[in-house]
């Protein structure tokens, strides 16, 4: 739902999801994937995606502090989850002082 809203509001935007194949997502999606939502599957080296990215959305409910740090080191802005309902769902403990959400 979030990706559909984002892509609906920003016509020139594309979302690339690294690590998830379309075949894996089909059971989770209520609608067909948006044409500008690209499910890239697992990749050995995500540096090309990082280099092309304007920003990185940390996955939710389970993010990756390592991926966030790698994106920051690559100079890409990171969007952290907005006020997760449970602290248990936050995997970026300690990054709050370095990155604002």
């Amino acid at each position: 739902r979030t990706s559909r809203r984002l892509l609906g509001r920003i016509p020139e935007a594309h979302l690339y999801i690294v690590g998830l194949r379309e075949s894996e997502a089909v059971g989770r999606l209520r609608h067909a994937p948006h044409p500008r939502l690209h499910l890239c599957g697992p990749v050995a080296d995500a540096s090309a995606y990082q280099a092309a990215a304007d920003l990185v959305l940390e996955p939710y409910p389970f993010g990756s502090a390592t991926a966030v740090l790698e994106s920051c080191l690559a100079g890409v802005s990171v969007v952290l989850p907005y006020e997760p309902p449970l602290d248990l769902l936050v995997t970026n403990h300690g990054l709050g002082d370095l990155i604002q959400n």
Side-chain angles (χ1 to χ4, degrees):
R1 285 184 288 170
T2 301
S3 64
R4 220 168 241 297
R5 283 195 306 218
L6 285 170
L7 294 170
R9 291 180 185 173
I10 309 168
E12 64 277 6
H14 285 256
L15 289 177
Y16 291 84
I17 299 178
V18 176
L20 182 65
R21 292 181 183 92
E22 189 168 339
S23 60
E24 297 168 328
V26 168
R28 300 177 189 178
L29 299 173
R30 294 185 181 155
H31 307 286
H34 192 284
R36 290 182 282 120
L37 176 67
H38 310 280
L39 301 167
C40 304
V43 298
D45 181 8
S47 60
Y49 292 97
Q50 286 178 331
D54 293 315
L55 58 91
V56 170
L57 303 175
E58 186 183 24
Y60 180 82
F62 301 105
S64 168
T66 304
V68 168
L69 289 172
E70 287 174 351
S71 297
C72 290
L73 288 172
V76 181
S77 297
V78 175
V79 178
L80 298 175
Y82 181 72
E83 295 185 23
L86 299 171
D87 198 40
L88 177 66
L89 298 177
V90 177
T91 59
N92 54 25
H93 295 289
L95 296 179
D97 294 335
L98 301 173
I99 306 166
Q100 297 178 355
N101 63 349

